[in-house]
Amino acid sequence: MFARFIVVVLAAMLPASVQAAQTDAALRAGLQSDLSQYLATRAKPEHISAISLSISMPGRASNINIAVGRSQYGGKGAPITPDTLYQIGSNTKSFTSAAILQLEAEGKLNIDQTVGKWLPQYPAWKNITIRRLLNMTSDIPTYDDVPSMLAAYAADPTKDWTGKELVAVVYPKLTPNAGWLYSNTAYVLSGMIIERASGHSYAGEIRRRFLNNPALGLTSTYYDQNLPPAGVADRMTSGYFFSTDPDNAALAPLLGKDMLPLSLSWAQAAGAVVSTPQEVTRWCRALYEGSVLAPKQHKEMETLVSLASGKAITITTPQDSRGFGLGVGEMLLPKMGRVWFYEGETLGYRMTYIYLPKKNVVWAVGLNSQPNKKEDHVGQLMTAVYNRLHAAGKV
């Protein structure tokens, strides 16, 4: 008992910088253990070989970055590092939304203008506003729920799809009074509107406004509609399609295959950005805290509709705990409170972030598979990270 008392007293007498370093080392060790345990237990059911975590906290010059595993399933490939790239899936939607909102701030469009004004070639959807495209209340179905489209992709997974081809999969259909309906089609249309309003390609606008903007520091974030160039592909981990969910039945020929060499043109403005977890946290800070958006457009981005009803809500509540803004989501969680979040998924990758506005902390996790929905346990991993941060007094 006496010896333990001496240890505690001496620990309390250590300089603050030494205590902070010890806390940091313990936190890193705990996070490393959490990721390693997740990989060990979830490698088979999720068909993953790589996990990367990055945490951004106030008062730190750099992120905490942890990476475990190898780039290919079965213990093959190079070890994962914090610089390994992942497809970030629908996190791309926040880039698309931000570009639209910047164009609005520049006076080149208004988000309450319609598809009819900007894309008159789609008269069946002429009364749908840009705002409704971005907050998923457009009633426009998503093309990637159509079995014939998925079968066509599986038969020729290196095909370079055009936006017009993707939209044509569902045009002129609507799902009347759907409320909130997740639609990648709506974001492909939004990408087309960016091109029409700016006079430049979607890729060019995303690169000019964000990826090549020195103030944002997104030096390892890329957008290519079809295949990434060799220099980018060489830095990516392999990613595996491993879903036997009924809605993915048409993709059965791709089961267990590496998606890295295959086309991302099916995702485009809805999901084709490639990045690292660290740069996802950097983008989150720029989006929620920085100067990416003017105050009016920032408020518009964070104006919510309910995922349950599609109706406008001021904040999430225990009775209505999930909301969607313009390319971003808010969720009310028992321990964490209200958080901004997104889980972006492609056919072989997942990238999930949580941003705690009251604590000014954001973390992102990348994994290299799309498993069955019931086998996607990334929420448990995000909670484990929060618990480590809470135990260390960081949140």
Side-chain angles (χ1 to χ4, degrees):
M1 180 68 71
F2 179 74
R4 181 179 181 277
F5 173 76
I6 291 294
V7 170
V8 172
V9 171
L10 289 175
M13 294 172 60
L14 289 173
S17 59
V18 175
Q19 292 185 49
Q22 290 179 343
T23 300
D24 190 68
L27 176 59
R28 286 178 176 273
L31 292 167
Q32 180 85 33
S33 175
D34 289 336
L35 263 66
S36 296
Q37 182 177 1
Y38 190 93
L39 183 60
T41 58
R42 302 301 303 164
K44 186 174 181 179
E46 296 187 29
H47 204 82
I48 54 173
S49 66
I51 311 175
S52 293
L53 164 70
S54 187
I55 306 171
S56 174
M57 294 183 286
R60 293 184 61 94
S62 60
N63 282 22
I64 293 177
N65 295 310
I66 309 289
V68 299
R70 291 181 171 271
S71 64
Q72 296 178 20
Y73 189 72
K76 302 176 182 178
I80 294 299
T81 76
D83 294 325
T84 299
L85 298 172
Y86 295 74
Q87 295 174 12
I88 71 170
S90 285
N91 290 291
T92 301
K93 290 180 172 67
S94 61
F95 289 88
T96 302
S97 175
I100 289 273
L101 291 169
Q102 285 192 354
L103 286 164
E104 181 182 62
E106 294 162 7
K108 295 179 180 178
L109 58 74
N110 184 295
I111 63 170
D112 290 315
Q113 293 171 339
T114 62
V115 171
K117 173 177 174 55
W118 287 103
L119 303 173
Q121 66 268 38
Y122 301 117
W125 301 336
K126 64 181 180 180
N127 294 323
I128 295 169
T129 63
I130 298 171
R131 186 191 300 270
R132 290 179 61 200
L133 294 178
L134 297 177
N135 69 15
M136 304 292 190
T137 61
S138 70
D139 293 341
I140 297 175
T142 189
Y143 56 82
D144 52 319
D145 273 354
V146 178
S148 61
M149 183 271 167
L150 299 180
Y153 180 85
D156 185 9
T158 60
K159 170 182 166 66
D160 187 2
W161 291 76
T162 67
K164 291 180 180 179
E165 288 175 315
L166 295 173
V167 173
V169 171
V170 295
Y171 185 78
K173 295 178 182 178
L174 284 169
T175 308
N177 303 313
W180 189 83
L181 179 68
Y182 199 90
S183 176
N184 286 323
T185 314
Y187 271 78
V188 171
L189 292 167
S190 298
M192 292 179 176
I193 292 172
I194 289 170
E195 293 183 335
R196 187 69 61 87
S198 69
H200 303 112
S201 70
Y202 173 83
E205 284 295 286
I206 295 302
R207 290 170 186 153
R208 179 179 71 84
R209 292 175 181 276
F210 310 126
L211 310 189
N212 297 338
N213 182 344
L216 298 181
L218 301 179
T219 58
S220 290
T221 303
Y222 308 94
Y223 176 86
D224 293 279
Q225 177 177 302
N226 186 19
L227 300 172
V232 175
D234 290 345
R235 292 180 53 195
M236 294 177 67
T237 178
S238 292
Y240 299 94
F241 177 71
F242 205 66
S243 172
T244 57
D245 288 330
D247 57 350
N248 283 327
L251 294 171
L254 301 179
L255 191 65
K257 292 188 177 180
D258 182 3
M259 299 291 104
L260 172 57
L262 307 185
S263 176
L264 257 178
S265 62
W266 68 271
Q268 298 191 23
V273 167
V274 170
S275 189
T276 65
Q278 176 166 277
E279 294 211 351
V280 169
T281 70
R282 192 170 294 162
W283 170 245
C284 286
R285 287 207 178 278
L287 190 64
Y288 293 111
E289 302 172 6
S291 58
V292 168
L293 298 176
K296 176 187 175 183
Q297 282 69 39
H298 189 274
K299 183 178 180 179
E300 289 174 336
M301 179 189 75
E302 293 189 349
T303 298
L304 300 175
V305 296
S306 165
L307 268 66
S309 67
K311 296 180 179 179
I313 57 174
T314 303
I315 58 173
T316 49
T317 65
Q319 295 73 34
D320 204 351
S321 61
R322 294 196 177 201
F324 200 81
L326 305 185
V328 296
E330 185 186 272
M331 180 164 48
L332 180 61
L333 296 172
K335 289 185 177 180
M336 303 183 208
R338 291 187 183 89
V339 304
W340 294 101
F341 80 102
Y342 217 112
E343 180 179 2
E345 186 176 54
T346 62
L347 297 180
Y349 301 83
R350 285 166 285 161
M351 181 68 70
T352 306
Y353 75 79
I354 288 180
Y355 169 65
L356 306 178
K358 291 186 176 180
K359 298 295 184 180
N360 196 20
V361 173
V362 57
W363 66 97
V365 169
L367 302 100
N368 66 330
S369 77
Q370 182 196 111
N372 290 342
K373 292 181 180 67
K374 69 177 183 179
E375 295 293 355
D376 182 1
H377 290 192
V378 69
Q380 295 178 10
L381 182 56
M382 301 299 280
T383 300
V385 172
Y386 173 83
N387 290 339
R388 288 288 179 186
L389 292 172
H390 187 265
K394 305 298 184 181
V395 295

